[in-house]
Amino acid sequence: MSSVNYNWLVSFAAGIGGLLFGYEIGVIGQVLGMEIFQTDFGMVNVIKGVRVDAENRPSIDGWITTTFLLGCIAGAAACSILADRIGRKYSIIASGGFFAVGGALQAAAGSLAVLLTGRVFSGLAIGIASMVVPLYIAETAPASTRGALTTIYQLMITFGIFVATAINCIIIKTVDNTSSLEWRLALGMQIIPAVLLVGLVSLIPFSPRWLAEKGRHDEGLEVIAKLRGLTSSDQAAIDEYNLIRAGSDADKAIGDASWGELFRGPNGRRMIIAIVNQSLQQLTGINVILYYSADIFKAMGFASADTIIAFPLANSFVNFLATFPGMWAVDRFGRKPLLVWGGLGMAVGHAGVYTFLTLSKSGPQSLAWGAIISVYIFLVCFASTWGPVVWSYQAEIFPLRLRARGTGIATMTNWTWNAIIAYAFPQVFSALNKEPTVYWIFFSFCMIMFGWAWAFVPETKGKTLEEISEVFGDKPAADSENVTVVKK
């Protein structure tokens, strides 16, 4: 097998961690719209045969989404330490185990408390995976294709959303909608990708940079050689591993890593960029559209059958397909151009949604189709730019000794904003009488993203992880000729 194919297979195996996240998003968005689910968990009252939302419906909606996200925050926090201690590989395997437990609890839930407990376990899994999967792929990929390979994480998220949405549509069409089996089956299916993740990741190698950090140099050299389609005696493999080892030794010479280092000097600049990038990614409004798509499309005036089946399926398919242009472009045009023009494109999408929805309120209902098209413009721009690039970028900018901690804090930032927005949106949307004003807010943040990426995000395309340190003002690692690799 060629080195190119092997690198892609390794990245896809790890990237199934993204599929878990995508499957979760795809599942919960439609489950929340199932009438039997709403009835079983007290979200509606039936008065004289008419279904009426319970007074606490927005709160229950918010907690079902937010407990998952709180678990994500905790998972990302734990993995910032776990990934250094037990390694990237075993951390990904742990995420698969947590996700299987979470799916089982949710599918078996007989009360809201058990459901929310399952949501926390699933969140722990996704928090771990979202932090460590891009990091692992970045540490195993060659510089020339690292951008494309790390965006596999986002591709698998979008694929997971599409698969979950398609499966849910089949369940909704074939299972009695008065039976709890409808939502139990939808939630229980999450166990399958979790088992797949654990099985496949068990077969892939450890990160060579983690092995270097742990002083396991013979193993590290063998892994690099295998990843590059070489033998451990080939000079190209030795040279690349020597550079990795030099960077690791330079880090160790500084002393033990501390959390405070992340907020000083060049590392402080890295940390600010990663935190702002992750914050702005959530403030695009992407997860509002993914979590609450049924409510959003219903507010546009479309039929219930379309809002729970047709539009979410189209959403997820567009989101999946649009990731491929980003994978193609990230190593050709660079990270910065995609972030700059992606912000502007998403702003155009939100402006279109606001404009067409406002016009449809006083004009023909058919104008709402303009809002649907604008949503797809937004999705295409997000999925090909800020969706994949933010994860790719944060995984490559931190030095090895601080990489897990830096990516952990940045990932926690993502999930914190995700939780705030997911909990607040149903109540804000209701308080605004489901008017399109909310899209104007997201438009403003997308314009801020355009300016931020233009002015403050440096380019990292085509550089090794060790060379990227120089972009942020670090001293170059020791020359590889001064490092001797211990060979068998």
Side-chain angles (χ1 to χ4, degrees), residues 72-424:
C72 290
I73 296 170
C79 198
S80 62
I81 297 174
L82 197 67
D84 279 337
R85 292 194 177 174
I86 69 172
R88 286 61 160 140
K89 174 177 174 174
Y90 289 147
S91 296
I92 298 173
I93 291 173
S95 76
F98 280 124
F99 199 75
V101 171
L105 286 172
Q106 291 174 73
S111 66
L112 184 60
V114 175
L115 179 75
L116 296 182
T117 301
R119 301 289 292 155
V120 170
F121 270 92
S122 293
L124 284 170
I126 301 308
I128 293 170
S130 64
M131 177 267 175
V132 77
V133 168
L135 187 153
Y136 172 85
I137 297 174
E139 290 188 345
T140 56
S144 60
T145 57
R146 188 179 60 247
L149 290 171
T150 51
T151 58
I152 285 175
Y153 174 71
Q154 179 67 22
L155 177 70
M156 297 302 282
I157 291 176
T158 61
F159 181 63
I161 295 171
F162 175 67
V163 169
T165 304
I167 290 174
N168 277 353
C169 288
I170 294 171
I171 291 172
I172 290 168
K173 284 289 189 180
T174 58
V175 177
D176 180 5
N177 65 0
T178 63
S179 169
S180 297
L181 179 63
E182 184 182 46
W183 62 264
R184 292 186 189 279
L185 187 57
L187 293 173
M189 293 288 284
Q190 296 177 92
I191 298 172
I192 296 174
V195 172
L196 182 64
L197 176 69
V198 171
L200 288 179
V201 173
S202 299
L203 303 176
I204 64 178
F206 293 103
S207 160
R209 287 172 168 85
W210 179 76
L211 290 171
E213 185 73 5
K214 297 300 178 183
R216 293 161 61 174
H217 298 303
D218 287 351
E219 291 177 71
L221 176 58
E222 289 179 2
V223 169
I224 276 292
K226 187 173 183 180
L227 287 168
R228 304 299 179 257
L230 304 169
T231 68
S232 57
S233 60
D234 285 328
Q235 192 60 44
I238 294 172
D239 288 345
E240 181 172 355
Y241 187 73
N242 279 351
L243 183 61
I244 293 171
R245 182 174 177 179
S248 173
D249 289 345
D251 280 347
K252 289 178 181 178
I254 298 172
D256 293 336
S258 69
W259 292 98
E261 284 182 74
L262 287 167
F263 301 94
R264 297 194 300 266
N267 292 323
R269 183 186 174 201
R270 292 179 172 97
M271 196 73 258
I272 290 171
I273 291 173
I275 287 174
V276 173
N277 282 355
Q278 288 285 15
S279 299
L280 290 174
Q281 189 200 62
Q282 287 306 301
L283 292 168
T284 62
I286 180 61
N287 283 323
V288 166
I289 290 174
L290 295 177
Y291 291 145
Y292 301 112
S293 59
D295 286 342
I296 290 170
F297 290 131
K298 190 174 181 180
M300 291 179 179
F302 291 99
S304 178
D306 290 331
T307 64
I308 198 172
I309 297 178
F311 290 143
L313 190 60
N315 260 13
S316 60
F317 188 61
V318 169
N319 196 22
F320 172 60
L321 287 183
T323 308
F324 287 99
M327 294 179 68
W328 174 83
V330 68
D331 285 318
R332 288 170 174 80
F333 303 115
R335 286 64 161 155
K336 185 183 181 84
L338 293 186
L339 294 176
V340 169
W341 298 112
L344 188 60
M346 286 185 289
V348 170
H350 281 309
V353 175
Y354 175 84
T355 301
F356 283 109
L357 282 185
T358 301
L359 292 174
S360 70
K361 298 288 183 181
S362 56
Q365 173 62 28
S366 59
L367 286 171
W369 280 101
I372 294 290
I373 293 171
S374 297
V375 167
Y376 295 152
I377 290 172
F378 165 79
L379 283 173
V380 167
C381 292
F382 177 86
S384 59
T385 61
W386 278 78
V389 174
V390 167
W391 295 108
S392 174
Y393 195 82
Q394 79 165 28
E396 63 188 11
I397 61 174
F398 291 98
L400 180 59
R401 62 196 293 274
L402 295 170
R403 192 168 293 145
R405 297 186 183 199
T407 55
I409 291 176
T411 303
M412 287 171 60
T413 302
N414 179 288
W415 292 118
T416 300
W417 276 109
N418 200 323
I420 292 170
I421 294 170
Y423 183 75

